[in-house]
Amino acid sequence: MTEFSRIAVLGVGVLGSQIAYHTAFKGYDIVAYDVDDNAVDRARTRLAALADRYEREVEDAGAGARDIVDRIELTSDLLHAVSAADLVIEAAPELVSVKRRLFSVVGEAAPAHTVFATNTSAIPPSALMDSTGRPDRFLALHFSNLVWRHNIAEVMGTPRTDPDVYASVVRFAASIGMVPIEMKKEKPGYVLNSLLVPLLKAAGELLADDIADPAAVDDVWRIGTGAAYGPFEMLDIIGLMTAHHIASHGDAKQREFARLIKERYLDKGQTGVESGQGFYTYPPT
Amino acid sequence: MTEFSRIAVLGVGVLGSQIAYHTAFKGYDIVAYDVDDNAVDRARTRLAALADRYEREVEDAGAGARDIVDRIELTSDLLHAVSAADLVIEAAPELVSVKRRLFSVVGEAAPAHTVFATNTSAIPPSALMDSTGRPDRFLALHFSNLVWRHNIAEVMGTPRTDPDVYASVVRFAASIGMVPIEMKKEKPGYVLNSLLVPLLKAAGELLADDIADPAAVDDVWRIGTGAAYGPFEMLDIIGLMTAHHIASHGDAKQREFARLIKERYLDKGQTGVESGQGFYTYPPT
């Protein structure tokens, strides 16, 4: 446990639900906020599904995994959610306007000591800091999908983040079993996407140029580097809608890759692992 | 076994010795050529060291690993080496002039049915094909270091390679336990370096920009993608001399990365795994 004891998670989508569940699982008091009663109902379903996965996949979770859900307070009352929080973790949609509005409300409502963290993957925290009213107590804390397995938490401050606050969030991340990745400066894409995007781009180029088939490319990467997944398997996991979106904003070869993804897969409703079909076929889960 | 029975390996350096040993281990008749008696002596030492590694690391190698060395005919007589070969695998230094001279001699001396393969990693096979006198029976067959573990063989023809010859080399690669990677076109760097170089470049940029420490970057990559090695561990394995050489020919950030490698490591004689020290410290082997 750290100097934080009560944590508010704002936004209970795919990653927000994982952050809320995992942090509760590690013993913290959690209140999870979403925008209205419908969203709260969906959050409850998500958390129950997560409990099943923890029971199956996470050591030490076991039969108590369902009880964790009951310990998470779900609410659509934002002011209540943050009123007693020591740490607020924002996991709202990736829109600057949404996040800024949220932080300006929360900045008014939360106690003075509360630390604010954004889980944004694409927005530099310095683009949000003034909206919080407390830039010294604000930073980015970025989780990866499947937090119990890909247990990294990238910690990225702004030029105005108090080093003590930064250190306290690093300790918090470690206390919930994450490997804290201390970033010394702001960097779009953090470390993970700074590495992953060039690799996936190179793989897309090999396909656009018809150099080798996806399965051959993946064989090379797995066998040649000892990786668990080849780049086309990674793209199927990330999802071909996202892959298409990114590639279609790239150079001519990337746009050609985007066109291939659309024609061969998306136009047939194939979006990767999620749909059961992408570069590879997946059994129903 | 395939339509090839006797294999000549030209050049018994780091990779040539692995190709010769592994192919003999898989039951082929091997003759291995190097330039003079001194080189042949060094080759004998290399092959003996490989036998020890196979005995320790390769299933099915066992106590017979040393006997494999005795089955490899070592010679400094090039004409003799290729006189009865079905397949010649060239693993000479990466100089176009050296390889062209070698293939022009071998093209005269080898039987008409003999297939020629180059293990070049940097020279497009089409830059060598006319020197062979038989471009239809010539292609690139590219192994990765530690062939028994990183068992991929990238097969890359030129526009003039006979498809039947290409297919026979694919079958040969599979017959020695390699996963043949069929490349449909020539591509500098094959598949492996086409993927690896952008990843390592991105890692170098994170260091040059002082975004995060090498250990943090490697944590992200291993945990976030399930990889066996992070990019800085890979650079230590590849060797910091090679890493420096490549980065010093890149853009401004890569040249900054090259400068860091030189100042922090190379100037102290630290070249990565090989020297026991690079981005990480390694125990003596």
Side-chain angles (χ1 to χ4, degrees):
Chain A
M1 211 54 54
T2 56
E3 56 261 61
F4 304 125
S5 142
R6 187 171 169 83
I7 317 291
V9 176
L10 309 185
V12 200
V14 171
L15 207 48
S17 62
Q18 295 179 21
I19 297 166
Y21 185 92
H22 190 80
T23 307
F25 171 62
K26 290 293 180 177
Y28 285 89
D29 286 338
I30 303 296
V31 52
Y33 158 84
D34 218 318
V35 287
D36 58 27
D37 290 349
N38 283 336
V40 165
D41 283 344
R42 285 196 299 275
R44 199 168 280 117
T45 308
R46 277 213 178 85
L47 291 168
L50 273 174
D52 291 345
R53 287 198 75 164
Y54 270 66
E55 198 172 330
R56 287 198 310 270
E57 297 181 24
V58 178
E59 227 180 319
D60 304 332
R66 279 275 180 169
D67 301 340
I68 304 291
V69 180
D70 299 331
R71 284 189 25 230
I72 299 170
E73 183 188 346
L74 280 163
T75 181
S76 59
D77 179 343
L78 180 57
L79 301 189
H80 169 70
V82 303
S83 62
D86 302 310
L87 172 65
V88 170
I89 302 174
E90 169 272 313
E94 286 289 282
L95 292 166
V96 173
S97 60
V98 169
K99 288 180 192 284
R100 286 183 63 91
R101 201 164 54 232
L102 198 55
F103 276 121
S104 64
V105 173
V106 170
E108 297 282 337
H113 79 278
T114 308
V115 169
F116 295 172
T118 174
N119 181 55
T120 181
S121 51
I123 303 164
S126 58
L128 305 172
M129 63 185 176
D130 64 308
S131 69
T132 67
R134 58 184 84 186
D136 57 321
R137 303 185 76 71
F138 169 73
L139 45 55
L141 173 64
H142 182 241
F143 293 84
S144 286
N145 192 27
L146 313 183
V147 296
W148 61 94
R149 187 188 305 162
H150 299 150
N151 61 324
I152 50 172
E154 294 171 288
V155 187
M156 186 161 83
T158 75
R160 295 177 62 187
T161 305
D162 180 335
D164 290 340
V165 168
Y166 186 97
S168 71
V169 172
V170 168
R171 282 192 300 274
F172 164 75
S175 78
I176 57 168
M178 298 292 117
V179 176
I181 305 298
E182 300 189 36
M183 301 191 60
K184 303 180 200 173
K185 294 179 191 163
E186 281 193 297
K187 166 82 180 173
Y190 299 82
V191 172
L192 184 57
N193 283 335
S194 298
L195 297 173
L196 196 53
V197 169
L199 173 70
L200 299 178
K201 208 175 147 218
E205 204 165 302
L206 290 172
L207 197 69
D209 287 344
D210 195 30
I211 301 293
D213 290 329
V217 172
D218 283 355
D219 277 345
V220 169
W221 191 246
R222 279 196 313 270
I223 301 170
T225 72
Y229 303 104
F232 290 101
E233 291 173 301
M234 292 185 199
L235 286 164
D236 272 354
I237 293 168
I238 292 164
L240 298 188
M241 298 281 283
T242 303
H244 177 267
H245 178 76
I246 296 170
S248 61
H249 288 84
D251 61 19
K253 282 200 180 162
Q254 292 303 304
R255 292 196 304 275
E256 169 64 13
F257 179 45
R259 200 186 57 74
L260 288 177
I261 292 175
K262 182 166 182 302
E263 273 186 21
R264 294 188 193 168
Y265 306 105
L266 296 182
D267 285 350
K268 303 177 195 160
Q270 300 169 348
T271 60
V273 172
E274 182 191 59
S275 73
Q277 182 68 48
F279 294 107
Y280 301 89
T281 303
Y282 302 89
T285 48
Chain B
M1 208 57 54
T2 57
E3 57 259 60
F4 304 125
S5 139
R6 187 171 169 83
I7 317 290
V9 177
L10 310 184
V12 201
V14 171
L15 207 48
S17 62
Q18 295 179 21
I19 297 167
Y21 185 91
H22 189 80
T23 307
F25 171 62
K26 291 294 181 177
Y28 284 90
D29 285 338
I30 303 296
V31 51
Y33 158 84
D34 219 318
V35 287
D36 57 28
D37 290 349
N38 283 336
V40 165
D41 283 344
R42 284 195 302 274
R44 198 169 280 116
T45 308
R46 274 211 181 86
L47 291 168
L50 273 174
D52 291 345
R53 287 199 75 165
Y54 271 65
E55 197 172 330
R56 286 199 309 271
E57 296 181 26
V58 179
E59 227 180 319
D60 305 332
R66 279 275 181 169
D67 301 338
I68 304 289
V69 180
D70 299 330
R71 285 188 28 229
I72 298 170
E73 184 188 344
L74 281 162
T75 181
S76 58
D77 179 342
L78 180 58
L79 301 190
H80 169 69
V82 302
S83 62
D86 302 310
L87 172 65
V88 170
I89 302 173
E90 169 272 311
E94 286 289 282
L95 291 166
V96 174
S97 59
V98 169
K99 288 179 193 286
R100 286 184 62 91
R101 203 163 52 232
L102 198 56
F103 276 120
S104 65
V105 173
V106 170
E108 297 281 337
H113 79 278
T114 308
V115 170
F116 294 172
T118 175
N119 180 56
T120 181
S121 51
I123 302 163
S126 58
L128 305 172
M129 63 184 176
D130 65 306
S131 70
T132 67
R134 56 183 84 187
D136 56 320
R137 304 186 74 72
F138 169 72
L139 43 56
L141 173 65
H142 182 241
F143 293 85
S144 285
N145 192 26
L146 313 184
V147 296
W148 62 94
R149 187 187 306 162
H150 299 151
N151 59 325
I152 51 171
E154 294 172 289
V155 187
M156 186 161 82
T158 75
R160 295 177 63 187
T161 305
D162 179 334
D164 290 340
V165 168
Y166 185 99
S168 71
V169 172
V170 168
R171 284 193 298 276
F172 164 75
S175 78
I176 57 169
M178 298 292 117
V179 175
I181 304 299
E182 299 190 36
M183 301 191 60
K184 302 180 199 174
K185 293 178 190 165
E186 281 193 296
K187 167 82 181 176
Y190 300 80
V191 172
L192 184 57
N193 282 335
S194 298
L195 297 173
L196 197 52
V197 169
L199 173 69
L200 299 178
K201 208 175 147 217
E205 204 164 301
L206 290 172
L207 196 69
D209 286 343
D210 196 30
I211 301 292
D213 290 330
V217 172
D218 283 354
D219 277 344
V220 169
W221 192 247
R222 278 195 314 269
I223 300 170
T225 73
Y229 304 103
F232 290 102
E233 291 174 301
M234 293 184 200
L235 287 165
D236 271 355
I237 293 169
I238 292 164
L240 298 188
M241 297 281 283
T242 302
H244 177 266
H245 177 75
I246 296 170
S248 61
H249 289 83
D251 61 19
K253 282 200 180 162
Q254 292 303 305
R255 292 196 303 276
E256 170 64 15
F257 179 46
R259 200 185 57 72
L260 288 177
I261 292 174
K262 183 170 182 302
E263 273 186 23
R264 293 188 195 168
Y265 306 105
L266 296 182
D267 285 351
K268 302 176 196 160
Q270 300 170 347
T271 60
V273 172
E274 181 191 62
S275 73
Q277 181 68 47
F279 293 107
Y280 300 90
T281 304
Y282 302 88
T285 47

